[in-house]
């Protein structure tokens, strides 16, 4: 068995699709510490620079007839603004910048991760968990700030029969505290799975007999990943709006 494994390695058919998600120091080969500059740090910085280039530099010279960059920035702005207004209501408009920031960071991270030799930061649960926990804490604190203890009314379903209300309240509480977990795992899981599948088919493309099929499969999956990258950013943003609605609306309605 050991000889077969060694032979497989020499034949070049052994591949590790999860290696692309390893966090490595950007300088040197030492251990990764709390303040180590890594490939994650680099691609997060690139993501921020791309957002600044689009939303700040791209709109610095606004014109009646917009440039392509200005058109994309205005389209993104209008898209998220309408989402916040439609899903969370007009009371949530003051918090639109937070949702816009989240969406732009995630969508740029996802798209940059599709570039060759890049790193998909949103494929790591450590990144998505921080984003999801930030949304959870923000919404919870905002709810208590706006409504006080009345915010707890979101767990008490007044439209249900009285005998069922305690059971439903327990279910609602569990569901509420599971939000950060589901919010983060959904994004990280989808991004990791898609990139791993692309790597698997890319490895098979090295085999001459099946390379045409592998190339077709890679092209199809890559196109799907482009769509998934946008959809996952959209889902994260729209769920944030749903949670935001609980904080800004009347808990008893």
């Amino acid at each position: 068995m050991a000889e077969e494994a060694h032979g497989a390695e020499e034949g070049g058919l052994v591949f590790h699709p999860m290696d692309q998600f390893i966090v490595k120091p950007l300088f040197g080969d030492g251990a990764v510490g709390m303040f180590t500059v890594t490939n994650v740090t680099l691609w997060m910085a690139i993501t921020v620079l791309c957002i600044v280039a689009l939303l700040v530099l791209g709109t610095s010279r606004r014109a009646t007839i917009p440039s392509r960059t200005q058109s994309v920035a205005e389209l993104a702005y209008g898209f998220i603004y309408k989402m916040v207004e439609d899903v969370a209501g007009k009371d949530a408009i003051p918090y639109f910048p937070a949702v816009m920031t989240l969406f732009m960071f995630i969508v740029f991270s996802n798209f940059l991760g599709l570039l060759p030799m890049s790193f998909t930061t949103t494929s790591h649960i450590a990144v998505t968990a921080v984003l999801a926990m930030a949304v959870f804490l923000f919404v919870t604190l905002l709810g208590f700030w706006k409504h006080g203890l009345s915010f707890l009314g979101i767990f008490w379903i007044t439209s249900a029969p009285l005998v069922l209300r305690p059971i439903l309240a327990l279910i609602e509480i569990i569901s509420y505290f599971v939000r950060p977990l589901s919010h983060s795992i959904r994004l990280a899981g989808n991004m990791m799975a898609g990139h791993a599948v692309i790597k698997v088919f890319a490895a098979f493309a090295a085999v001459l007999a099946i390379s045409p099929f592998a190339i077709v499969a890679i092209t199809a999956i890559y196109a799907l990943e482009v769509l998934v990258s946008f959809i996952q950013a959209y889902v994260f943003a729209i769920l944030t709006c749903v949670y935001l609605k609980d904080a800004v609306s009347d808990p008893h309605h």
Side-chain angles (χ1 to χ4, degrees):
M1 293 295 291
E3 291 180 357
E4 292 178 1
H6 181 68
E9 290 180 1
E10 290 183 349
L13 293 178
V14 175
F15 52 88
H16 305 281
M18 304 306 288
D19 284 355
Q20 60 183 308
F21 305 114
I22 296 176
V23 178
K24 302 176 182 178
L26 200 58
F27 308 103
D29 298 319
V32 175
M34 184 177 296
F35 300 104
T36 303
V37 178
T38 64
N39 48 354
V40 180
T41 311
L42 171 65
W43 285 97
M44 279 188 174
I46 293 174
T47 299
V48 173
L49 290 176
C50 288
I51 296 172
V52 171
L54 175 64
L55 299 181
V56 179
L57 301 181
T59 59
S60 59
R61 297 182 179 180
R62 289 184 294 274
T64 305
I65 301 176
S67 63
R68 293 178 182 178
T69 307
Q70 182 182 336
S71 296
V72 173
E74 290 178 353
L75 183 64
Y77 183 97
F79 176 73
I80 301 302
Y81 188 94
K82 192 173 188 307
M83 178 199 298
V84 174
E85 187 177 30
D86 292 346
V87 177
K90 292 185 177 181
D91 291 337
I93 293 299
Y95 312 103
F96 153 76
V99 182
M100 179 73 176
T101 302
L102 277 173
F103 175 81
M104 295 304 294
F105 178 80
I106 294 171
V107 79
F108 266 97
S109 296
N110 292 351
F111 283 145
L112 287 172
L114 294 172
L115 297 176
M117 307 302 293
S118 65
F119 188 90
T120 312
T121 56
T122 46
S123 65
H124 273 255
I125 192 69
V127 175
T128 59
V130 170
L131 298 176
M133 186 57 67
V135 171
F136 177 78
L137 293 176
F138 173 72
V139 168
T140 303
L141 294 174
L142 178 64
F144 279 109
W145 178 70
K146 290 183 69 70
H147 306 290
L149 292 178
S150 298
F151 179 63
L152 297 175
I154 63 172
F155 303 121
W156 192 252
I157 313 300
T158 56
S159 58
L162 184 60
V163 67
L164 294 178
R165 291 180 192 177
I167 300 174
L168 293 177
L170 179 61
I171 294 173
E172 288 292 324
I173 291 172
I174 295 174
S175 174
Y176 188 85
F177 284 97
V178 168
R179 284 179 177 181
L181 186 63
S182 62
H183 210 183
S184 58
I185 290 178
R186 181 184 296 105
L187 175 58
N190 278 283
M191 299 312 301
M192 179 179 289
H195 284 66
V197 171
I198 291 176
K199 188 67 176 289
V200 169
F201 279 99
F204 281 123
V207 182
L208 182 61
I210 62 172
S211 60
F213 302 100
I215 292 171
V216 171
I218 291 171
T219 303
I221 294 172
Y222 193 91
L224 180 62
E225 274 300 290
V226 172
L227 181 62
V228 169
S229 295
F230 176 80
I231 290 176
Q232 288 305 313
Y234 173 77
V235 169
F236 197 98
I238 203 168
L239 285 176
T240 301
C241 292
V242 171
Y243 302 155
L244 187 59
K245 183 178 181 180
D246 290 338
V248 299
S249 60
D250 189 343
H252 301 289
H253 290 82

